Each structure stands twice: as C-alpha cells, then as structure tokens.
Amino acid sequence: MSKRTVQQFSGHAFLKQRLVMALLSQQTVRIDGIRAQDENPGLRDYEVSLLRLLEQATNGTRIVISPTGTSVVLRPGMITGGRIDMDCPVSRSIGYYLEALVAIAPFGKDQMTATLRGVTTNNVDLSVDLIRTATLVNLRNFGLSEGVELRITKRGAEPRGGGEVRFICPVVRAVTPLNFVDAGRVRRIRGIAYATRVSPQSANRMVEAARGELNRYIPDIYIYTDVYKGAESGLSPGFGISLVAETTTGALLTAEVCAQAGDAPEDVGRDAAQRLLHEIARGGCFDSAHQWQALLLMTLGPEHAAKTRFGKLTPFSIQYLRDLRVFFNTTFKIKPDNQSVLLTCLGTGFTNVGKKTT
C-alpha cells in the first residue's frame, strides 16, 4: 500500500488502534480535533507516551503534533523491534502500551525485548496478568506462540505504580489462517489473586469469595495467590484478581477486578467471579476483551478464508471492523448463529518483509 495515502480521522477515541493499523498498513494517518472542545484540550500524557513508544519500536517513523496538541500526524516507518525501555505514566496501566506492542512486535525486523515500568493493574486496561495468561496464549491460534514471554518482575498498584514487566516477542514471516468456530464447554478455571503492601490474607479472602461463586458450576478451579513484599511490591498498596476460563477447544474467557479504595477483598473476588460468569454466558471463541486481536490477525492472515465465532460484538469491535476496512480494505461477513455471530473474512496476505530469511 502506498505511503502517500493519508487516512483522516477526528477525535481522541480509538487513537491507539488507528496508530497501530497505520504502522502495519504503511499508511499515513492524520487525527484532528483531539479533545478540541475540552477544558484541557489535546493529547494526554499517556497518548504522547504511546507515540514515543511506537517511535522507539520503529525506524523512520515521523510524528508531528500540533502546538495545541489537538492534531497529530504519523508517517509510518519500518517496525524494527529490538530493545525498548520506557517509564509509562501512571494515568494508564502498562497493559495499554503492551496491547499496541503485542499487535506490532511479531512483524518487526528483530526480536522485541521491551521493559516497561508503571502501574501493572487498573480497572480500565487489561492487566499484565491477563495479557500473560490470555492475550499471549491466544497467539497460538495464529502460529505465533513460540518464544513469546511476559515476565512480571515488580508489581505496581495505583496511584503511584512502581511495577516493572519484561516483554519478549520473536518475529514471524506470516501468520497462519484461523478456523476456530467451536467454542466448546468450560473445563477449568485458573486465576491469580495478587496483593502488594497489604496483608497476605487479602489474597486468600479474594480466592475464597471467588471460589464460593464458581464452585457451584465447576470443580476444577485453581487460583494462585501472588503476594509481593519489599522492593518488588511497588510504591502503593493494592490487591486484585484475574480469572481465566478455558474451554474444551482451547478458547479463553477472562475477567478481572482491581480493588478501589475502601473495597473489601470478598467483594472484589465475588465481583470478578460474576464478571467471568457473564463472559461465559456471552460465549464465543474469543472474549470481549480480545475480539480486536482476532479481527486484526485474521485480517493480516494469508489470502484464505478465516473464520471464528464471537458471543456478541462489542461497540469497540464494531468500530475496529470499520477501521480495518479503511486501512486494509477488508470486510467481514457477519452471520448471526443462535446467541453468537460467525465472522468470516479473506486475509490480506500480509508478509513481514523485514524478517531476515534463514
């Protein structure tokens, strides 16, 4: 695709996905009217950090931000990967940045090794736990799981953060086509309950509350407790729980809750279990938090039909489909099937030209 093509958008919503698609499709993107009517107009600190991160992960990318910060132009360069080191603002969690890296890292020139520091879990973005246990595991459906790793060296709760993770992702020439329509039945539930700078009993109390809700439906439940002390526990006290339900066909359905000030551990555990049950009721081969991942990698697949099943399209996924059509000229056939939807598309035949041939 020609780099001279300029895709124009307005508003700050969906900024991250549009920047990622611009890099992968090698099209210039211009986004205007970023919070133009807001009392504090322009890009936020985490959005500027995302632009810096994408600049670090590429070579030749040019980013121009207007003096008011309400307009940004990104001219994509080549995704290089390599070593990346960044301190993330505490206004968003590390998961916000990792989602972008997971999307572009497999298509770089060299293996990516990224060290990110900041908040590891909040209630806005995917936590580092779910990215490790679900997002990266989902890559196996596209032939990408070999050597992919996320190491949590320190945890960092809101508001001050202090966490640190190391993300390693080798490169691939191309992804494999997806044909995953059988969601299966839930066979086991796994989870992680973490606690930093609070009583270790908080983690056990969350586990007991979550098990109390889930044991009525399935006996195979194991939730690990992960208690951090000293320098590894970050700068703020906090606790939370992440749950992953695995089906007989390998589909992963996830839910998580991070404690806010004044929350009791029992309420956090119970809330997470109920969210997981809601996600299981929606069904599908990918949960609502990972629909974007399936859509993107289906689009980047070889020129064969790719097919999968979602429980229900989220508003975010609907916009994602629209943006995929703009950047890659790919349209999906969406067919309702009982309580779910079947999605089929023809891949673009995307090839990672930067990968060295051996």
Side-chain angles (χ1 to χ4, degrees), residues 206-270:
M206 282 188 291
V207 171
E208 287 303 312
R211 286 185 67 97
E213 291 285 321
L214 298 170
N215 265 129
R216 288 181 279 171
Y217 306 99
I218 188 170
D220 190 357
I221 300 171
Y222 197 92
I223 303 171
Y224 300 85
T225 54
D226 202 7
V227 179
Y228 281 71
K229 296 176 183 175
E232 292 182 349
S233 63
L235 303 172
S236 297
F239 54 89
I241 185 169
S242 306
L243 300 171
V244 180
E246 187 179 340
T247 72
T248 49
T249 55
L252 301 175
L253 307 168
T254 66
E256 64 182 348
V257 177
C258 170
Q260 300 295 305
D263 285 355
E266 288 81 7
D267 295 337
V268 172
R270 205 174 297 115

Side-chain angles (χ1 to χ4, degrees), residues 41-274:
L43 293 165
R44 298 286 180 261
D45 57 351
Y46 59 87
E47 291 164 338
V48 174
S49 293
L50 177 67
L51 288 165
R52 285 197 192 117
L53 180 66
L54 295 176
E55 199 172 26
Q56 273 193 62
T58 56
N59 182 22
T61 297
R62 289 188 57 204
I63 297 167
V64 180
I65 302 172
S66 68
T68 57
T70 56
S71 175
V72 61
V73 178
L74 181 138
R75 291 187 179 87
M78 186 178 180
I79 302 167
T80 51
R83 293 196 171 274
I84 294 171
D85 194 278
M86 191 172 123
D87 292 308
C88 307
V90 294
S91 46
R92 293 296 282 264
S93 88
I94 291 172
Y96 175 79
Y97 307 94
L98 277 176
E99 276 188 12
L101 293 184
V102 168
I104 65 170
F107 309 107
K109 183 181 175 187
D110 300 306
Q111 172 177 292
M112 181 180 286
T113 304
T115 304
L116 304 178
R117 287 174 291 274
V119 173
T120 51
T121 311
N122 65 8
N123 280 323
V124 180
D125 309 296
L126 277 179
S127 73
V128 291
D129 290 311
L130 281 194
I131 288 175
R132 185 170 61 85
T133 55
T135 312
L136 299 185
V137 178
N138 278 334
L139 292 175
R140 68 188 175 191
N141 297 312
F142 302 91
L144 296 174
S145 60
E146 195 72 35
V148 181
E149 185 186 344
L150 180 65
R151 225 173 278 158
I152 305 167
T153 49
K154 295 178 188 174
R155 284 208 181 260
E158 288 187 299
R160 294 173 63 203
E164 182 180 289
V165 301
R166 194 156 177 260
F167 171 60
I168 300 169
C169 183
V171 294
V172 293
R173 188 82 176 157
V175 298
T176 56
L178 179 73
N179 187 6
F180 188 14
V181 293
D182 183 8
R185 298 175 73 85
V186 174
R187 68 187 177 109
R188 65 179 185 182
I189 294 172
R190 295 290 180 265
I192 297 172
Y194 77 88
T196 61
R197 295 190 176 270
V198 294
S199 166
Q201 277 302 310
S202 299
N204 296 330
R205 287 162 64 188
M206 282 188 291
V207 171
E208 287 303 312
R211 286 185 67 97
E213 291 285 321
L214 298 170
N215 265 129
R216 288 181 279 171
Y217 306 99
I218 188 170
D220 190 357
I221 300 171
Y222 197 92
I223 303 171
Y224 300 85
T225 54
D226 202 7
V227 179
Y228 281 71
K229 296 176 183 175
E232 292 182 349
S233 63
L235 303 172
S236 297
F239 54 89
I241 185 169
S242 306
L243 300 171
V244 180
E246 187 179 340
T247 72
T248 49
T249 55
L252 301 175
L253 307 168
T254 66
E256 64 182 348
V257 177
C258 170
Q260 300 295 305
D263 285 355
E266 288 81 7
D267 295 337
V268 172
R270 205 174 297 115
D271 192 14
Q274 287 166 356

